[in-house]
Amino acid sequence: MSTELVTPGHSPPLDTLIAMGIAVGILQAHPAARIEVKKQGSSYRITIDGQVTWDRVYETLSEKMLFEVERLSYGWGSLYSAFGPRRDIEPKDLSGRFEELVELARKEFPKIAQEYSEQSQHAAREGRGGKRKKLPTAYLSIAPWAGKYFAGTYKYREEPYALCPLCSFLAWSGILSSSSVITYVAEGKRGTVYAVPDPIHVRNYDIALIALVFAEKKGERRLRNDIPLLAAPLLILASGETVWPIEGEYGLYVWKYEGAGNFLGIKGFAQLPLSPLLEFVARAKARGKYLPRLIGYLASRKGDPSLIALITECLAYGEPDPYTVVRSIWSLLSRAEDERGRRVLRWLDKGVAEELFEVWKKYWEGHRAGGTPSSATTVAGTGSWT
């Protein structure tokens, strides 16, 4: 038996989170099911071969969410971190809203095959204004483009972006199952950086593996430094387990939600190729143990997180070149006055430098810098803002 779903088309990363929430939920509830996820414009087509009981998928996802809702009520846990820098809602009230969402989604979940069919035009009943006002608002954590101060090329009235309980529940399930979240405080600012893999064309357990790579990095630590948007991918990938190679085509979405005083907003959003970043981390860690320590030091208050972003730019965009990156990092480390800074000089070892060059050469040699890596797929309708 084959089932086909098409996500509503709200645009990534909201639809990305919905697609990952569905895919991971199915694999956890029905490990024998065969799944293919393919990106089509701003939507994702999910093909499932095998019998799927949607009640069981719902129970799998709701069990995880209710566990996090309980922790949220005490002001900690993955949902608390993922909600972002907004603090005008008490944890107890927020946990009540998520409990209500879980219950509302229970009624909608059995209809997912009809609601997420190609003909349903599900997203047309959501969005801004009109009858949609009765639906819950999409928080910026899962829909960063919904904020009235972050429009990109869109133009719209200052009205909330509304989602049905099914879309909201699946998007938050995607946050819990497949995303990484970094929180930071620095110089009167507090912020949250989100990263989620973009399944351009993937099958079966590679979906679960890439989800695990990101979900396990959803730690409770808070960095005491302002984290540039493009530093987040390597902060996430360099720690914990690294899985490589992974079959299929993936991208990566990252966005930053920041607050300063009473002002809150999305400060950056970008789409990146994932393969060169993941391959560099895997190869550098295979050569030695120092990459996570180096990245950790650069992210600290005595380091410079912008140098982590420089590595990302080198691998994702082809420039600056590896020599410029390594020279910049060495310059910072050689000026360090504390004992740890002098010790970390050896952490920028030959293996890290050589693998940076080798991966950069593999993806960018013979290609124009600032374009598309040789093994990446261009996706229409997406862009980056920083």
Side-chain angles (χ1 to χ4, degrees), residues 190-209:
R190 61 194 185 280
T192 305
V193 183
Y194 306 84
V196 62
D198 177 22
I200 296 170
H201 191 186
V202 294
R203 294 182 176 90
N204 301 329
Y205 287 102
D206 283 323
I207 300 170
L209 285 174

Side-chain angles (χ1 to χ4, degrees), residues 68-82:
E68 290 297 338
V69 166
E70 179 66 21
R71 298 208 295 169
L72 172 63
S73 65
Y74 295 100
W76 68 294
S78 296
L79 269 181
Y80 182 77
S81 299

Side-chain angles (χ1 to χ4, degrees), residues 42-106:
S42 59
S43 301
Y44 297 82
R45 185 178 297 273
I46 304 169
T47 305
I48 309 120
D49 288 328
Q51 182 69 37
V52 175
T53 305
W54 292 113
D55 286 343
R56 186 184 299 179
V57 176
Y58 167 81
E59 292 298 333
T60 299
L61 295 176
S62 62
E63 181 179 349
K64 170 66 174 176
M65 188 169 292
L66 288 173
F67 172 76
E68 290 297 338
V69 166
E70 179 66 21
R71 298 208 295 169
L72 172 63
S73 65
Y74 295 100
W76 68 294
S78 296
L79 269 181
Y80 182 77
S81 299
F83 190 68
R86 185 174 172 181
R87 293 294 180 261
D88 59 329
I89 304 177
E90 291 295 323
K92 284 282 187 182
D93 295 336
L94 190 56
S95 64
R97 296 186 188 188
F98 275 103
E99 286 177 347
E100 182 181 7
L101 174 64
V102 171
E103 191 57 37
L104 290 172
R106 180 191 299 273

Side-chain angles (χ1 to χ4, degrees), residues 287-329:
R287 291 282 300 271
K289 59 184 179 181
Y290 293 128
L291 180 66
R293 300 183 186 184
L294 174 64
I295 296 296
Y297 180 79
L298 293 177
S300 70
R301 300 177 78 173
K302 292 184 178 180
D304 184 354
S306 69
L307 295 178
I308 307 174
L310 208 64
I311 303 174
T312 301
E313 291 175 29
C314 171
L315 295 168
Y317 302 131
E319 56 183 16
D321 60 83
Y323 173 76
T324 301
V325 174
V326 172
R327 184 179 60 183
S328 299
I329 296 173

Side-chain angles (χ1 to χ4, degrees), residues 17-40:
L17 292 168
I18 290 173
M20 292 301 292
I22 294 171
V24 173
I26 291 172
L27 287 172
Q28 290 177 345
H30 299 281
R34 299 177 63 187
I35 302 177
E36 178 184 57
V37 180
K38 190 171 185 179
K39 190 171 187 177
Q40 297 182 335

Side-chain angles (χ1 to χ4, degrees), residues 20-284:
M20 292 301 292
I22 294 171
V24 173
I26 291 172
L27 287 172
Q28 290 177 345
H30 299 281
R34 299 177 63 187
I35 302 177
E36 178 184 57
V37 180
K38 190 171 185 179
K39 190 171 187 177
Q40 297 182 335
S42 59
S43 301
Y44 297 82
R45 185 178 297 273
I46 304 169
T47 305
I48 309 120
D49 288 328
Q51 182 69 37
V52 175
T53 305
W54 292 113
D55 286 343
R56 186 184 299 179
V57 176
Y58 167 81
E59 292 298 333
T60 299
L61 295 176
S62 62
E63 181 179 349
K64 170 66 174 176
M65 188 169 292
L66 288 173
F67 172 76
E68 290 297 338
V69 166
E70 179 66 21
R71 298 208 295 169
L72 172 63
S73 65
Y74 295 100
W76 68 294
S78 296
L79 269 181
Y80 182 77
S81 299
F83 190 68
R86 185 174 172 181
R87 293 294 180 261
D88 59 329
I89 304 177
E90 291 295 323
K92 284 282 187 182
D93 295 336
L94 190 56
S95 64
R97 296 186 188 188
F98 275 103
E99 286 177 347
E100 182 181 7
L101 174 64
V102 171
E103 191 57 37
L104 290 172
R106 180 191 299 273
K107 303 172 185 177
E108 302 294 328
F109 218 92
K111 299 182 290 184
I112 187 172
Q114 293 76 39
E115 291 296 325
Y116 284 8
S117 67
E118 199 160 22
Q119 297 78 27
S120 71
Q121 296 186 330
H122 182 91
R125 302 193 296 273
E126 301 172 314
R128 291 183 172 84
K131 297 179 181 179
R132 307 175 183 91
K133 291 182 178 179
K134 296 181 180 179
L135 296 175
T137 298
Y139 293 115
L140 292 180
S141 308
I142 58 173
W145 35 257
K148 62 184 178 181
Y149 298 116
F150 186 75
T153 59
Y154 301 100
K155 294 183 180 179
Y156 48 76
R157 293 174 293 176
E158 294 183 1
E159 295 184 10
Y161 194 95
L163 285 181
C164 74
L166 179 61
C167 287
S168 187
F169 174 78
L170 286 170
W172 282 105
S173 295
I175 281 277
L176 293 177
S177 68
S178 313
S179 75
S180 291
V181 176
I182 298 172
T183 60
Y184 64 91
V185 291
E187 299 176 358
K189 295 186 292 186
R190 61 194 185 280
T192 305
V193 183
Y194 306 84
V196 62
D198 177 22
I200 296 170
H201 191 186
V202 294
R203 294 182 176 90
N204 301 329
Y205 287 102
D206 283 323
I207 300 170
L209 285 174
I210 199 68
L212 179 63
V213 167
F214 282 83
E216 73 162 2
K217 314 295 176 66
K218 199 184 280 89
E220 303 297 330
R221 72 170 180 168
R222 172 175 289 187
L223 298 175
R224 300 284 176 178
N225 208 347
D226 191 356
I227 302 301
L229 182 69
L230 294 184
L234 289 177
L235 272 169
I236 293 162
L237 296 174
S239 64
E241 294 295 325
T242 300
V243 180
W244 182 262
I246 292 180
E247 296 180 1
E249 300 174 42
Y250 283 96
L252 176 66
Y253 286 109
V254 289
W255 62 102
K256 178 193 282 192
Y257 187 10
E258 189 174 88
N262 294 324
F263 297 96
L264 292 161
I266 298 296
K267 300 301 182 183
F269 174 75
Q271 181 198 16
L272 305 168
L274 178 58
S275 293
L277 300 173
L278 193 55
E279 183 171 353
F280 163 68
V281 170
R283 291 174 61 156

